[in-house]
């Protein structure tokens, strides 16, 4: 598939939508996607522009935007409480990562290979989180690994600008 897509024209009863691995392009409007949508996969296309998160459906559990050309700030405070899987890898999102604002249901966050900046706080992650990828960004400061979620099995922090000494004595046994 190639060309643009109007997500506002989708049937209201649509629950899952896979449009990944195509040549779809242009900007997307996520403000009027179907209210029953639980999975939206737009990964590996050529979408661009900013992403408005203000009216995502409360039923959304998986949002995949990876490997596109999205840019701008990504406001984690506007994610639905139901969101469990978020894939942002390989875009050009910028700004700080306020991980304390992630929905409590979040299991996986993949935000590597962007342009996120600033300090990160890993001490207030969702308690059931199992995967966190913040690699290849422009994150700075020290990293506190002493209060990670007990079920975390994958933590990727490489290729950033962290400084200081890291305490590895209190990592979850799952890592």
């Amino acid at each position: 598939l190639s060309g643009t897509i109007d997500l506002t024209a989708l049937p209201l009863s649509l629950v899952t939508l896979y449009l990944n691995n195509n040549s779809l392009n242009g900007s997307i409007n996520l403000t009027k996607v179907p209210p029953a949508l639980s999975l939206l996969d737009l990964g590996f296309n050529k979408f661009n522009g900013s992403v408005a998160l203000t009216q995502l459906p409360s039923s959304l559990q998986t949002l995949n935007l990876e490997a596109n050309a999205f840019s701008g700030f990504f406001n984690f405070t506007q994610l639905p409480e139901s969101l469990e899987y978020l894939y942002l890898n390989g875009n050009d999102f910028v700004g700080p990562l306020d991980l304390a604002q992630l929905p409590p249901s979040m299991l996986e966050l993949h935000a590597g290979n962007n342009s996120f900046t600033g300090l990160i706080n890993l001490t207030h992650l969702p308690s059931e989180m199992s995967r966190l990828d913040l690699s290849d960004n422009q994150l700075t400061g020290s990293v506190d690994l002493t209060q990670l979620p007990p079920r975390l099995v994958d933590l990727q922090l490489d290729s950033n600008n962290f400084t200081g000494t890291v305490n590895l004595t209190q990592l979850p046994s799952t890592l």
Side-chain angles (χ1 to χ4, degrees), residues 31-59:
T31 61
K32 295 188 180 181
V33 294
L37 199 64
S38 67
L39 183 147
L40 178 59
D41 189 342
L42 302 175
F44 297 92
N45 279 287
K46 298 176 183 176
F47 292 116
N48 58 45
S50 61
V51 177
L53 304 169
T54 55
Q55 297 177 28
L56 289 173
S58 61
S59 59

Side-chain angles (χ1 to χ4, degrees), residues 10-159:
L10 297 171
L12 294 178
S13 60
L14 188 67
V15 175
T16 59
L17 180 61
Y18 290 94
L19 291 173
N20 54 310
N21 292 304
N22 285 291
S23 294
L24 298 169
N25 59 53
S27 61
I28 60 164
N29 180 357
L30 295 177
T31 61
K32 295 188 180 181
V33 294
L37 199 64
S38 67
L39 183 147
L40 178 59
D41 189 342
L42 302 175
F44 297 92
N45 279 287
K46 298 176 183 176
F47 292 116
N48 58 45
S50 61
V51 177
L53 304 169
T54 55
Q55 297 177 28
L56 289 173
S58 61
S59 59
L60 193 64
Q61 295 177 322
T62 301
L63 178 60
N64 186 350
L65 303 176
E66 73 179 309
N68 280 284
F70 291 118
S71 59
F73 289 95
F74 193 92
N75 190 344
F76 289 89
T77 64
Q78 296 177 333
L79 296 172
E81 292 292 309
S82 60
L83 196 65
E84 297 177 350
Y85 302 94
L86 180 58
Y87 301 89
L88 304 175
N89 308 51
N91 284 287
D92 197 26
F93 290 116
V94 299
L97 277 170
D98 189 353
L99 300 176
Q101 300 299 321
L102 291 174
S105 60
M106 182 74 64
L107 300 175
E108 296 186 15
L109 171 60
H110 302 269
N113 196 21
N114 279 284
S115 296
F116 289 115
T117 57
L119 307 173
I120 59 164
N121 182 350
L122 300 175
T123 63
H124 293 82
L125 294 172
S127 62
E128 300 297 313
M129 181 168 268
S130 62
R131 297 186 186 283
L132 178 62
D133 177 5
L134 303 178
S135 63
D136 199 23
N137 279 287
Q138 299 166 23
L139 302 171
T140 58
S142 61
V143 178
D144 182 353
L145 301 178
T146 62
Q147 298 178 48
L148 295 172
R151 290 188 173 91
L152 196 66
V153 296
D154 184 20
L155 176 63
Q156 298 180 40
L157 301 174
D158 54 294
S159 301

